[in-house]
Amino acid sequence: RWAPQVPDRRYPLMTNGVPVVKAPAEIDIVNAEQLRTVLRGAGTRGHATVVLDMTGTRFCDSEGFSVLVAVHKWALAEGGGLRLVIPAGSPVLRVFRTIGLGRFIPRFASLEQALPTGPAAAAD
């Protein structure tokens, strides 16, 4: 179903020196493991902080959220972390807040806010 877009065979896209991965419209048991692979791959290229742009994501099941937690823990151990872009009004934001992931994984309303180029504060 979902395959990352590979511009010039380089994935993920680098923005201000930070890897940014665009999440699929749906994250579920079918593609969650592929997402884990892409996120960990982005973090192993010398970039411990990875941004996952979930702007277009309409659905994320428990397997998807489990992958996000696992990748964030892995990135923290590498000296970075996972930063999620989930805009206000996103159907995923309600679930993200309900299960309390905002206490563990920083969530930002826009890509610009998520990029760690300055003193950006996480939005809950």
Side-chain angles (χ1 to χ4, degrees):
R1 288 178 4 172
W2 171 72
Q5 298 295 318
V6 184
D8 300 330
R9 297 191 171 269
R10 292 183 309 157
Y11 192 88
L13 298 175
M14 297 298 288
T15 305
N16 296 339
V18 177
V20 177
V21 175
K22 183 119 175 106
E26 295 183 4
I27 303 170
D28 56 25
I29 196 165
V30 174
N31 63 3
E33 196 56 41
Q34 182 181 7
L35 180 60
R36 178 195 316 259
T37 301
V38 169
L39 291 170
R40 290 214 34 193
T44 58
R45 295 188 181 102
H47 303 282
T49 297
V50 177
V51 174
L52 179 61
D53 183 354
M54 298 178 74
T55 302
T57 305
R58 299 182 315 267
F59 176 78
C60 185
D61 72 2
S62 60
E63 185 68 23
F65 282 116
S66 293
V67 162
L68 299 181
V69 169
V71 169
H72 183 58
K73 286 180 179 179
W74 174 82
L76 287 173
E78 296 292 313
L82 180 64
R83 293 167 163 245
L84 303 178
V85 178
I86 307 173
S90 167
V92 175
L93 181 57
R94 184 174 148 257
V95 178
F96 179 81
R97 286 182 169 157
T98 300
I99 61 178
L101 277 186
R103 294 175 295 179
F104 306 106
I105 304 176
R107 173 252 161 196
F108 302 85
S110 71
L111 179 59
E112 293 74 27
Q113 293 173 350
L115 294 170
T117 57
D124 185 88

